[in-house]
Amino acid sequence: MLITMNSVAATCNIIVITDPSGEDPNGAAAGSMSFAENMFQSTFLMSKEKGFVVLSGGSSSSEMRLDSIVLAVADLENGASAATAASVASQYSGSRLVVGGPEMGAAVAGSFSAYVIVVNEADNSISVTPYSGGLAVLQPGEKGAIIHLRNTAGNPQYGTADGVRKETAMNIGKMIRDGYPATTILAEAMGEVAKGSGEKYGGGGVNIISGISSGDMFTPSELNEKGYPMDEAYSKSCDECGWALGFPSAENHDSCPVCGNTELTTIYAYEALDKTITVSSDSVSVSIYGSEKPGLAATTSEIVKASVAKYGYDSNKIAGSINKGINNGLLVGVNYVEPKDINVKENSKAVGVYFTTLPGDKSSPSWNLPVDSFSLNILGSIQTVIGIILILLVIFRDRLLKSFQKR
C-alpha cells in the first residue's frame, strides 16, 4: 500500500469560532482541502465530548504526521491547551497541526503560512495578523479564526495563495463581525479559496460543537485520485419541497420528480458542505433498514427530508412520498411502504424507514453518487454512540485508531 500510494497533505486548513461559550450549535467549525491527490490522508479528528478538532498538513511524511496527531490528541485528552497540543508539530520537520475548539480557542504550529483573525465584540473591530512558522494562537474567549493556505506544486494557479489567504482572512473577519454562523463562514471561505487559489479538492469540514462531519462526501473513493472540487456543482435541489440529487445523476434532471415541474436549483460543493454541517430547525436524521442496495439510503433520505419540509413529521405523508419515489423509478428493488413502516421521532428530528426487499435480482440503479450512503449511515451511528469521535480520512486509519486507544 505504501509503495503504490502518493503522499499528500492539506494545503488549506481553516478553523472558525463565532461562539467561544460553546452554546451556539453552529458556533465552531473547521475544515481542510488541497489541490493534491488522496485527500483522505488529511485527517480530521473531532471529540464531541471534549469539543476539540485536530487538522493536519505539511510536507512531512504520512508517518510523521500521524505520530504528531496521536501526540496532540493525547495532550488534549489530558487537558492541554490548543497551543500546547498544536506545538507538537514543531517536533516533526515539515508537519503542521491546527487545533482548537469553542472554549479552548485555536492554534496552528509547525510549518505554516497563516492569518489569525480576531473580532473584538466591544467595538466590532477586526484584526487580521499574518504568521509564518512557529506558533500562532487565537486565545480562549475570542471570536475569530485561523486560515492557513499554500499552493501545491503543479497547481495551474500556483502563486495565488498569498493574495487569496489575505483576502479570505479579511472576509472571514467581516462575516464573523456580521453574525454569520461558523459553519457557513467555513463553507464560504472554502469556496473562496477553491475558486481563487485552485486548492480546491476535499477534504471537507466539521461542526465542532454539534459533532457533525461531512465525512466522505468530498474525499476520493480511490487511491491516487483527487477529491471532489469544492467550487463545482455537487447536486440539484428543489426549492419547493427540498428534494435533491447528487451529480452526475443530477445531470439527467431539470425538474423535481416529487413536485412535478418545479425547476431544480444547482448546489455547489461548498454550499452542500454548509447545508451538511449546519444545524437548522428543519434538520432531519434519516435511518434506513431492511436493504443495503446501492443508492437506496441516500435517495430515500432526500425524499424523507423533502416530505418533512413540506408536510411535517407525518408518517402517512412520508410513506406516500416514498411510494411516489418507487413509482417514479427513483427507488428500485424495494416494496411499497406503509405508515407502520415509518418510525417518526419528532422530538429528536429523526425518521426510520423499514423496507422489504423485492424478490429476485432486482436492484437499485447505479447512482454513482459522490456520497457513500453506507458510510454516511455508519458515521451517523458512530456519532450518537461514541464520546470521542475519530473521523479518519487517512489510509492509516486502523493504525491511528489503535495507537490512540493504546495511549
Side-chain angles (χ1 to χ4, degrees):
M1 185 69 72
L2 287 172
I3 295 174
T4 61
M5 181 185 63
N6 297 327
S7 183
V8 70
T11 49
C12 176
N13 302 115
I14 303 173
I15 183 166
V16 182
I17 299 174
T18 56
D19 180 16
S21 72
E23 295 178 359
D24 181 353
N26 300 310
S32 295
M33 57 185 178
S34 174
F35 176 78
E37 301 168 339
N38 294 327
M39 265 305 295
F40 47 78
Q41 287 188 63
S42 288
T43 312
F44 308 105
L45 289 94
M46 179 172 58
S47 171
K48 185 175 181 181
E49 182 182 85
K50 297 196 174 183
F52 67 75
V53 67
V54 178
L55 310 178
S56 70
S59 59
S60 61
S61 68
S62 298
E63 291 284 330
M64 292 176 66
R65 288 201 303 275
L66 207 59
D67 289 341
S68 69
I69 292 165
V70 171
L71 288 176
V73 171
D75 284 347
L76 290 166
E77 282 292 288
N78 289 322
S81 66
T84 298
S87 295
V88 168
S90 300
Q91 303 174 27
Y92 300 87
S93 177
S95 290
R96 176 178 62 262
L97 289 175
V98 180
V99 176
E103 297 180 14
M104 69 173 61
V108 54
S111 174
F112 65 87
S113 299
Y115 279 90
V116 176
I117 304 103
V118 179
V119 178
N120 189 318
E121 285 191 271
D123 58 6
N124 275 333
S125 62
I126 303 169
S127 67
V128 179
T129 308
Y131 291 89
S132 183
L135 174 68
V137 180
L138 175 69
Q139 297 295 338
E142 290 183 327
K143 284 186 177 182
I146 294 176
I147 175 173
H148 158 84
L149 176 63
R150 287 175 177 164
N151 280 128
T152 303
N155 180 348
Q157 294 175 261
Y158 192 89
T160 58
D162 289 347
V164 173
R165 182 170 63 247
K166 182 177 181 179
E167 185 67 24
T168 306
M170 295 173 65
N171 289 335
I172 289 173
K174 293 175 183 177
M175 286 188 283
I176 295 173
R177 178 199 62 192
D178 294 342
Y180 287 89
T183 48
T184 296
I185 296 171
L186 172 70
E188 290 294 322
M190 291 180 74
E192 186 173 337
V193 168
K195 295 170 188 175
S197 73
E199 302 298 319
K200 61 183 180 179
Y201 299 109
V206 294
N207 179 329
I208 306 172
I209 295 177
S210 298
I212 303 172
S213 166
S214 61
D216 289 333
M217 282 178 68
F218 310 109
T219 59
S221 58
E222 302 292 337
L223 284 175
N224 301 326
E225 289 187 356
K226 297 182 184 297
Y228 203 91
M230 299 301 293
D231 60 343
E232 291 189 9
Y234 185 80
S235 64
K236 290 183 179 180
S237 69
C238 175
D239 295 335
E240 180 70 22
C241 70
W243 183 87
L245 183 65
F247 280 89
S249 298
E251 294 175 352
N252 302 320
H253 294 268
D254 294 319
S255 59
C256 177
V258 176
C259 292
N261 295 322
T262 306
E263 185 177 353
L264 296 174
T265 300
T266 298
I267 307 296
Y268 286 83
Y270 69 91
E271 295 173 322
L273 171 63
D274 183 13
K275 181 180 178 182
T276 299
I277 65 175
T278 299
V279 176
S280 62
S281 58
D282 59 354
S283 298
V284 185
S285 174
V286 183
S287 300
I288 310 301
Y289 306 94
S291 177
E292 295 182 0
K293 293 186 178 298
L296 181 68
T299 307
T300 303
S301 178
E302 293 298 340
I303 292 174
V304 171
K305 290 176 182 178
S307 180
V308 170
K310 191 170 185 178
Y311 305 113
Y313 287 86
D314 185 323
S315 58
N316 290 285
K317 295 293 187 180
I318 293 172
S321 297
I322 291 173
N323 290 336
K324 187 174 182 180
I326 294 174
N327 288 336
N328 290 340
L330 295 174
L331 300 172
V332 178
V334 291
N335 210 339
Y336 292 106
V337 296
E338 299 178 21
K340 66 180 180 63
D341 300 319
I342 311 299
N343 183 16
V344 173
K345 297 180 179 178
E346 185 170 357
N347 290 338
S348 58
K349 298 183 183 300
V351 175
V353 179
Y354 297 82
F355 280 113
T356 301
T357 304
L358 289 175
D361 297 327
K362 294 183 180 180
S363 62
S364 299
S366 178
W367 294 107
N368 195 27
L369 291 174
V371 183
D372 184 332
S373 59
F374 179 75
S375 296
L376 289 179
N377 288 343
I378 293 298
L379 181 63
S381 299
I382 290 174
Q383 289 186 350
T384 59
V385 176
I386 301 178
I388 179 78
I389 305 164
L390 302 181
I391 301 169
L392 304 175
L393 308 181
V394 288
I395 197 62
F396 305 106
R397 62 190 69 187
D398 289 335
R399 177 178 176 272
L400 176 58
L401 182 58
K402 292 175 183 176
S403 297
F404 174 73
Q405 289 173 335
K406 288 178 181 178
R407 291 179 182 275

